[in-house]
Amino acid sequence: MPALAREIATCDRIRDVLETEHFGEWVVVRDEELAGAYQDFQEAAADAVKRFGRGPYLIRRVGAPPHTLPSSVMHRPIRAEG
């Protein structure tokens, strides 16, 4: 299972604890563990980058619905000119 999928599965597995103890906060999940909880995204991202570099890790707001991006944003094919 890819690293990010493991972190998402970890959030799903500990959802009850996260919603009880950290509702509305931003959490960082890495190596299938809660690495920290923060009041805002910028604080979570800054600490995650400082501690873990480029990742992989997951930053998610507890209690917020998942964001869905259209496939045109997620995948943009590169066409050869000419």
Side-chain angles (χ1 to χ4, degrees):
M1 177 184 302
L4 189 56
R6 286 194 309 266
E7 310 310 9
I8 292 169
T10 299
C11 277
D12 292 341
R13 186 181 77 244
I14 64 173
R15 176 176 285 132
D16 290 341
V17 172
L18 292 176
E19 289 183 351
T20 299
E21 298 178 12
H22 301 290
F23 193 84
E25 296 180 346
W26 293 87
V27 294
V28 175
V29 176
R30 178 154 193 259
D31 293 334
E32 300 179 50
E33 294 182 1
L34 175 63
Y38 308 87
Q39 293 301 310
D40 60 52
F41 176 81
Q42 289 78 13
E43 183 183 1
D47 192 50
V49 169
K50 180 180 176 183
R51 292 171 61 192
F52 309 123
R54 294 181 61 150
Y57 46 81
L58 176 69
I59 301 175
R60 180 175 276 183
R61 189 164 198 187
V62 178
H67 294 280
T68 303
L69 297 175
S71 61
S72 61
V73 172
M74 297 177 66
H75 175 71
R76 194 170 183 189
I78 300 172
R79 297 190 178 128
E81 296 292 324

